[in-house]
Amino acid sequence: MRSAALPVGVAALDGLVVNAVHAGPVLWGALAAAGALVLRRRQPELALAAGIPGLYLGHLAFAPLIALYFLAVHRRSAVPGAVGAVLVALAQFLPLPLGDITLLRLDHDIVLQALDSCALGVGAFVLGRSSRQRRERLREITEGREREHRLLAQHTLATERARLAREMHDVVAHKVSLISLQAGALQVTEPGAAAVRETAGVIRELSVDTLTELQHLVGVLRADGGNTGGLVPQPRLADLGGLIEESALPVELRLGDLDGPLPEAVERAAYRTVQEALTNVRKHAPGARAEVRVGPAGGRLHVEVRNTAAGRSAVPPGLPAGGNGLVGLRERAQLLGGSFTSGPLPGGGFLVRAEFPV
């Protein structure tokens, strides 16, 4: 109701000024037209219908023009507003009584009166349509920005999911596969201890099931993922010795001379490359020997992990393969502007090679 006070008050003042207090029915009609403006938003047609007689009989201008403006604003189609503009122009132009229309002559005053009537109707209509178009444009811009914000939030969420997937695979899969390997070795080396063998079997079964569930979860997390950097804190090249020691594999490490620390992202990616490669050796080549070479050359850090073929007497641990490890390594290398290749060797075994700019 507060928003209606201004247009109703202006129209009522217009009626009082034009028709004077003693104008009788004409004044009451003008005030009724002003009061009808409370319907200008919900029923602008009724407000205009109440205002046109006041314009025709009592020279009331503001009430019908305000109603016409809101009719043009609040109706999607321009037809109601155009019809209202024609009615307002005719009411302003036609004389009272209508029989006096025969007295109209095409002279200077009549032309000016016609132009003035058209200007009133068309002006209110055009102003209302312009206001509606401006509001629609602002609404479209607002909706577009909200849509962009939602897409940005979804992209950010997908990026975080991809980062979490990669880190889960690099860290947890490595540890779980190591548990399974140790449990398998315990089963073999303690054939006479039934309780130990049973416990080792349970550990092995649980670790395999855990790794299977982990790889399923990684696949879900990667579904909407993208490229991103790693989480911190993370291991670096100085931790390679501990990684190889805990791998339970015969590994030869050749670490080149490093002129000071390298970028953290590069060292982290190199560490993850070695970690994933050794995890794959345990999975797919039990009994194999591995060689790890890490060193700078030509402004790039070279990482190479090669292993021999699996031992003939070695029993595969039966660990599930998720297929995300090498994909994650390639993503890391590409993200840092490096390269990554992997594939089987001619005489058996496997080679993983990565290069990172430093």
Side-chain angles (χ1 to χ4, degrees), residues 138-156:
L138 290 176
R139 182 168 59 251
E140 291 176 357
I141 293 175
T142 302
E143 292 176 353
R145 290 178 177 176
E146 292 177 351
R147 184 163 52 251
E148 290 178 359
H149 291 162
R150 288 195 300 269
L151 291 175
L152 180 60
Q154 293 173 2
H155 175 72
T156 302

PDB file of all heavy atoms in Angstrom, residues 138-156:
ATOM      1  N   LEU A 138      17.903  -6.904 -17.263  1.00  0.00           N
ATOM      2  CA  LEU A 138      18.588  -7.019 -15.974  1.00  0.00           C
ATOM      3  C   LEU A 138      18.377  -8.394 -15.354  1.00  0.00           C
ATOM      4  O   LEU A 138      19.294  -8.956 -14.762  1.00  0.00           O
ATOM      5  CB  LEU A 138      18.084  -5.925 -15.021  1.00  0.00           C
ATOM      6  CG  LEU A 138      18.493  -4.488 -15.363  1.00  0.00           C
ATOM      7  CD1 LEU A 138      17.844  -3.509 -14.399  1.00  0.00           C
ATOM      8  CD2 LEU A 138      20.005  -4.332 -15.337  1.00  0.00           C
ATOM      9  N   ARG A 139      17.168  -8.928 -15.502  1.00  0.00           N
ATOM     10  CA  ARG A 139      16.898 -10.258 -14.970  1.00  0.00           C
ATOM     11  C   ARG A 139      17.737 -11.309 -15.703  1.00  0.00           C
ATOM     12  O   ARG A 139      18.263 -12.244 -15.089  1.00  0.00           O
ATOM     13  CB  ARG A 139      15.412 -10.580 -15.097  1.00  0.00           C
ATOM     14  CG  ARG A 139      15.042 -11.937 -14.508  1.00  0.00           C
ATOM     15  CD  ARG A 139      13.545 -12.111 -14.383  1.00  0.00           C
ATOM     16  NE  ARG A 139      12.878 -11.983 -15.666  1.00  0.00           N
ATOM     17  CZ  ARG A 139      12.127 -10.961 -16.014  1.00  0.00           C
ATOM     18  NH1 ARG A 139      11.943  -9.958 -15.174  1.00  0.00           N
ATOM     19  NH2 ARG A 139      11.534 -10.911 -17.195  1.00  0.00           N
ATOM     20  N   GLU A 140      17.847 -11.172 -17.030  1.00  0.00           N
ATOM     21  CA  GLU A 140      18.675 -12.114 -17.793  1.00  0.00           C
ATOM     22  C   GLU A 140      20.141 -12.030 -17.366  1.00  0.00           C
ATOM     23  O   GLU A 140      20.818 -13.057 -17.246  1.00  0.00           O
ATOM     24  CB  GLU A 140      18.549 -11.819 -19.287  1.00  0.00           C
ATOM     25  CG  GLU A 140      17.172 -12.146 -19.869  1.00  0.00           C
ATOM     26  CD  GLU A 140      17.073 -11.744 -21.324  1.00  0.00           C
ATOM     27  OE1 GLU A 140      18.068 -11.167 -21.850  1.00  0.00           O
ATOM     28  OE2 GLU A 140      16.024 -11.999 -21.947  1.00  0.00           O
ATOM     29  N   ILE A 141      20.614 -10.799 -17.151  1.00  0.00           N
ATOM     30  CA  ILE A 141      22.008 -10.642 -16.714  1.00  0.00           C
ATOM     31  C   ILE A 141      22.214 -11.282 -15.343  1.00  0.00           C
ATOM     32  O   ILE A 141      23.207 -11.979 -15.105  1.00  0.00           O
ATOM     33  CB  ILE A 141      22.387  -9.148 -16.689  1.00  0.00           C
ATOM     34  CG1 ILE A 141      22.402  -8.576 -18.122  1.00  0.00           C
ATOM     35  CG2 ILE A 141      23.747  -8.947 -16.023  1.00  0.00           C
ATOM     36  CD1 ILE A 141      22.649  -7.092 -18.176  1.00  0.00           C
ATOM     37  N   THR A 142      21.255 -11.044 -14.438  1.00  0.00           N
ATOM     38  CA  THR A 142      21.356 -11.628 -13.097  1.00  0.00           C
ATOM     39  C   THR A 142      21.329 -13.147 -13.158  1.00  0.00           C
ATOM     40  O   THR A 142      22.129 -13.827 -12.496  1.00  0.00           O
ATOM     41  CB  THR A 142      20.207 -11.119 -12.213  1.00  0.00           C
ATOM     42  OG1 THR A 142      20.259  -9.680 -12.151  1.00  0.00           O
ATOM     43  CG2 THR A 142      20.312 -11.689 -10.812  1.00  0.00           C
ATOM     44  N   GLU A 143      20.405 -13.696 -13.951  1.00  0.00           N
ATOM     45  CA  GLU A 143      20.333 -15.153 -14.082  1.00  0.00           C
ATOM     46  C   GLU A 143      21.600 -15.703 -14.716  1.00  0.00           C
ATOM     47  O   GLU A 143      22.072 -16.784 -14.347  1.00  0.00           O
ATOM     48  CB  GLU A 143      19.108 -15.533 -14.911  1.00  0.00           C
ATOM     49  CG  GLU A 143      17.784 -15.240 -14.215  1.00  0.00           C
ATOM     50  CD  GLU A 143      16.597 -15.535 -15.104  1.00  0.00           C
ATOM     51  OE1 GLU A 143      16.814 -15.835 -16.301  1.00  0.00           O
ATOM     52  OE2 GLU A 143      15.454 -15.475 -14.622  1.00  0.00           O
ATOM     53  N   GLY A 144      22.152 -14.966 -15.714  1.00  0.00           N
ATOM     54  CA  GLY A 144      23.393 -15.410 -16.333  1.00  0.00           C
ATOM     55  C   GLY A 144      24.548 -15.438 -15.347  1.00  0.00           C
ATOM     56  O   GLY A 144      25.352 -16.384 -15.341  1.00  0.00           O
ATOM     57  N   ARG A 145      24.625 -14.419 -14.505  1.00  0.00           N
ATOM     58  CA  ARG A 145      25.686 -14.396 -13.498  1.00  0.00           C
ATOM     59  C   ARG A 145      25.512 -15.518 -12.483  1.00  0.00           C
ATOM     60  O   ARG A 145      26.490 -16.162 -12.078  1.00  0.00           O
ATOM     61  CB  ARG A 145      25.697 -13.037 -12.797  1.00  0.00           C
ATOM     62  CG  ARG A 145      26.184 -11.896 -13.687  1.00  0.00           C
ATOM     63  CD  ARG A 145      26.135 -10.573 -12.952  1.00  0.00           C
ATOM     64  NE  ARG A 145      26.660  -9.499 -13.796  1.00  0.00           N
ATOM     65  CZ  ARG A 145      26.663  -8.214 -13.445  1.00  0.00           C
ATOM     66  NH1 ARG A 145      26.182  -7.862 -12.253  1.00  0.00           N
ATOM     67  NH2 ARG A 145      27.156  -7.297 -14.262  1.00  0.00           N
ATOM     68  N   GLU A 146      24.261 -15.746 -12.072  1.00  0.00           N
ATOM     69  CA  GLU A 146      24.025 -16.848 -11.135  1.00  0.00           C
ATOM     70  C   GLU A 146      24.385 -18.182 -11.769  1.00  0.00           C
ATOM     71  O   GLU A 146      24.936 -19.072 -11.110  1.00  0.00           O
ATOM     72  CB  GLU A 146      22.558 -16.842 -10.697  1.00  0.00           C
ATOM     73  CG  GLU A 146      22.185 -15.639  -9.844  1.00  0.00           C
ATOM     74  CD  GLU A 146      20.705 -15.626  -9.488  1.00  0.00           C
ATOM     75  OE1 GLU A 146      19.956 -16.464 -10.046  1.00  0.00           O
ATOM     76  OE2 GLU A 146      20.295 -14.773  -8.677  1.00  0.00           O
ATOM     77  N   ARG A 147      24.062 -18.339 -13.060  1.00  0.00           N
ATOM     78  CA  ARG A 147      24.404 -19.575 -13.751  1.00  0.00           C
ATOM     79  C   ARG A 147      25.921 -19.740 -13.844  1.00  0.00           C
ATOM     80  O   ARG A 147      26.453 -20.843 -13.664  1.00  0.00           O
ATOM     81  CB  ARG A 147      23.775 -19.569 -15.142  1.00  0.00           C
ATOM     82  CG  ARG A 147      23.975 -20.854 -15.924  1.00  0.00           C
ATOM     83  CD  ARG A 147      23.003 -20.930 -17.087  1.00  0.00           C
ATOM     84  NE  ARG A 147      23.052 -19.729 -17.914  1.00  0.00           N
ATOM     85  CZ  ARG A 147      22.104 -18.806 -17.987  1.00  0.00           C
ATOM     86  NH1 ARG A 147      21.012 -18.936 -17.255  1.00  0.00           N
ATOM     87  NH2 ARG A 147      22.222 -17.750 -18.779  1.00  0.00           N
ATOM     88  N   GLU A 148      26.621 -18.642 -14.125  1.00  0.00           N
ATOM     89  CA  GLU A 148      28.078 -18.697 -14.169  1.00  0.00           C
ATOM     90  C   GLU A 148      28.660 -19.066 -12.809  1.00  0.00           C
ATOM     91  O   GLU A 148      29.618 -19.837 -12.717  1.00  0.00           O
ATOM     92  CB  GLU A 148      28.638 -17.354 -14.636  1.00  0.00           C
ATOM     93  CG  GLU A 148      28.364 -17.048 -16.098  1.00  0.00           C
ATOM     94  CD  GLU A 148      28.897 -15.690 -16.498  1.00  0.00           C
ATOM     95  OE1 GLU A 148      29.460 -14.995 -15.640  1.00  0.00           O
ATOM     96  OE2 GLU A 148      28.750 -15.324 -17.682  1.00  0.00           O
ATOM     97  N   HIS A 149      28.068 -18.503 -11.747  1.00  0.00           N
ATOM     98  CA  HIS A 149      28.547 -18.828 -10.401  1.00  0.00           C
ATOM     99  C   HIS A 149      28.321 -20.300 -10.083  1.00  0.00           C
ATOM    100  O   HIS A 149      29.181 -20.949  -9.465  1.00  0.00           O
ATOM    101  CB  HIS A 149      27.833 -17.947  -9.370  1.00  0.00           C
ATOM    102  CG  HIS A 149      28.232 -16.508  -9.442  1.00  0.00           C
ATOM    103  ND1 HIS A 149      27.487 -15.491  -8.878  1.00  0.00           N
ATOM    104  CD2 HIS A 149      29.287 -15.901 -10.050  1.00  0.00           C
ATOM    105  CE1 HIS A 149      28.078 -14.329  -9.097  1.00  0.00           C
ATOM    106  NE2 HIS A 149      29.172 -14.558  -9.812  1.00  0.00           N
ATOM    107  N   ARG A 150      27.160 -20.832 -10.514  1.00  0.00           N
ATOM    108  CA  ARG A 150      26.907 -22.254 -10.272  1.00  0.00           C
ATOM    109  C   ARG A 150      27.892 -23.117 -11.039  1.00  0.00           C
ATOM    110  O   ARG A 150      28.407 -24.113 -10.515  1.00  0.00           O
ATOM    111  CB  ARG A 150      25.474 -22.603 -10.675  1.00  0.00           C
ATOM    112  CG  ARG A 150      24.403 -22.069  -9.733  1.00  0.00           C
ATOM    113  CD  ARG A 150      23.079 -22.747  -9.980  1.00  0.00           C
ATOM    114  NE  ARG A 150      22.611 -22.534 -11.341  1.00  0.00           N
ATOM    115  CZ  ARG A 150      21.837 -21.536 -11.726  1.00  0.00           C
ATOM    116  NH1 ARG A 150      21.436 -20.642 -10.835  1.00  0.00           N
ATOM    117  NH2 ARG A 150      21.449 -21.411 -12.974  1.00  0.00           N
ATOM    118  N   LEU A 151      28.151 -22.741 -12.314  1.00  0.00           N
ATOM    119  CA  LEU A 151      29.099 -23.522 -13.114  1.00  0.00           C
ATOM    120  C   LEU A 151      30.499 -23.447 -12.517  1.00  0.00           C
ATOM    121  O   LEU A 151      31.231 -24.441 -12.513  1.00  0.00           O
ATOM    122  CB  LEU A 151      29.107 -23.001 -14.557  1.00  0.00           C
ATOM    123  CG  LEU A 151      27.829 -23.261 -15.361  1.00  0.00           C
ATOM    124  CD1 LEU A 151      27.929 -22.597 -16.733  1.00  0.00           C
ATOM    125  CD2 LEU A 151      27.568 -24.750 -15.511  1.00  0.00           C
ATOM    126  N   LEU A 152      30.868 -22.241 -12.029  1.00  0.00           N
ATOM    127  CA  LEU A 152      32.181 -22.100 -11.401  1.00  0.00           C
ATOM    128  C   LEU A 152      32.280 -22.957 -10.149  1.00  0.00           C
ATOM    129  O   LEU A 152      33.301 -23.604  -9.898  1.00  0.00           O
ATOM    130  CB  LEU A 152      32.438 -20.629 -11.062  1.00  0.00           C
ATOM    131  CG  LEU A 152      33.780 -20.310 -10.383  1.00  0.00           C
ATOM    132  CD1 LEU A 152      34.947 -20.738 -11.270  1.00  0.00           C
ATOM    133  CD2 LEU A 152      33.867 -18.815 -10.058  1.00  0.00           C
ATOM    134  N   ALA A 153      31.199 -22.954  -9.356  1.00  0.00           N
ATOM    135  CA  ALA A 153      31.199 -23.785  -8.141  1.00  0.00           C
ATOM    136  C   ALA A 153      31.288 -25.263  -8.498  1.00  0.00           C
ATOM    137  O   ALA A 153      32.013 -26.029  -7.844  1.00  0.00           O
ATOM    138  CB  ALA A 153      29.932 -23.505  -7.320  1.00  0.00           C
ATOM    139  N   GLN A 154      30.567 -25.682  -9.549  1.00  0.00           N
ATOM    140  CA  GLN A 154      30.628 -27.076  -9.973  1.00  0.00           C
ATOM    141  C   GLN A 154      32.019 -27.434 -10.479  1.00  0.00           C
ATOM    142  O   GLN A 154      32.527 -28.533 -10.207  1.00  0.00           O
ATOM    143  CB  GLN A 154      29.586 -27.340 -11.059  1.00  0.00           C
ATOM    144  CG  GLN A 154      28.150 -27.244 -10.568  1.00  0.00           C
ATOM    145  CD  GLN A 154      27.141 -27.338 -11.691  1.00  0.00           C
ATOM    146  OE1 GLN A 154      27.502 -27.513 -12.860  1.00  0.00           O
ATOM    147  NE2 GLN A 154      25.875 -27.231 -11.358  1.00  0.00           N
ATOM    148  N   HIS A 155      32.633 -26.498 -11.221  1.00  0.00           N
ATOM    149  CA  HIS A 155      33.984 -26.758 -11.725  1.00  0.00           C
ATOM    150  C   HIS A 155      34.978 -26.860 -10.575  1.00  0.00           C
ATOM    151  O   HIS A 155      35.854 -27.726 -10.578  1.00  0.00           O
ATOM    152  CB  HIS A 155      34.396 -25.645 -12.682  1.00  0.00           C
ATOM    153  CG  HIS A 155      35.810 -25.768 -13.163  1.00  0.00           C
ATOM    154  ND1 HIS A 155      36.213 -26.734 -14.055  1.00  0.00           N
ATOM    155  CD2 HIS A 155      36.929 -25.049 -12.864  1.00  0.00           C
ATOM    156  CE1 HIS A 155      37.512 -26.618 -14.288  1.00  0.00           C
ATOM    157  NE2 HIS A 155      37.965 -25.603 -13.578  1.00  0.00           N
ATOM    158  N   THR A 156      34.821 -25.973  -9.598  1.00  0.00           N
ATOM    159  CA  THR A 156      35.711 -26.023  -8.435  1.00  0.00           C
ATOM    160  C   THR A 156      35.541 -27.328  -7.678  1.00  0.00           C
ATOM    161  O   THR A 156      36.524 -27.960  -7.261  1.00  0.00           O
ATOM    162  CB  THR A 156      35.419 -24.834  -7.508  1.00  0.00           C
ATOM    163  OG1 THR A 156      35.588 -23.607  -8.237  1.00  0.00           O
ATOM    164  CG2 THR A 156      36.351 -24.831  -6.310  1.00  0.00           C
TER     165      THR A 156
END
